[in-house]
Amino acid sequence: MPRIDMLGVGRRLEALRHALDLSRKDFANSFGLDPSSYTKTVDGEKQLRSEAAYAIAERWGVTMDYLFRGRLAELPEHLRESILKNLNTAD
C-alpha cells in the first residue's frame, strides 16, 4: 500500500498557510487543530488526519487531492498561483 508523504503534506499546508497570510496558530485554529499538533504535522512527525484535511478543504476551498497528493488542478486560480509561488520559494 502506498505511504503518505508526510513531509510533502507539511510543505503543502505551509504553502497554503502562506497563501492565506495566516500565522501558524490562526491557520491551525481555523480548522480545529491545536498549534502544537499543526507544527508536528508540518514537520512530518504526525500524520494529517482525514477529518482535519476535510475541515481544511471545506474551510479554505482546496481539495484533499492537493493536501495529500499535491494536485493543483482543481484549486481556485488565485490560490493555485500563490501556492505555487510559495512551494517554489520553499525549496
Side-chain angles (χ1 to χ4, degrees):
M1 181 162 211
R3 298 180 66 82
I4 295 173
D5 174 12
M6 293 191 317
L7 289 174
V9 170
R11 283 192 303 273
R12 290 185 288 275
L13 286 171
E14 282 291 272
L16 175 60
R17 181 181 71 80
H18 285 287
L20 297 168
D21 197 28
L22 294 172
S23 69
R24 280 188 172 192
K25 179 181 179 182
D26 289 340
F27 183 61
N29 288 335
S30 77
F31 60 92
L33 195 65
D34 68 271
S36 65
S37 290
Y38 176 76
T39 297
K40 289 177 183 176
T41 301
V42 167
D43 292 343
E45 298 172 16
K46 189 174 185 177
Q47 280 192 332
L48 180 64
R49 296 178 52 104
S50 59
E51 295 86 357
Y54 183 76
I56 294 166
E58 288 295 301
R59 172 70 173 95
W60 296 111
V62 298
T63 64
M64 291 178 71
D65 264 353
Y66 163 70
L67 296 171
F68 288 111
R69 296 178 173 169
R71 294 183 180 164
L72 298 164
E74 295 182 26
L75 297 183
E77 187 174 340
H78 71 283
L79 272 181
R80 183 174 51 244
E81 290 174 6
S82 185
I83 286 170
L84 276 171
K85 179 180 146 194
N86 285 303
L87 285 171
N88 289 332
T89 58
D91 291 335

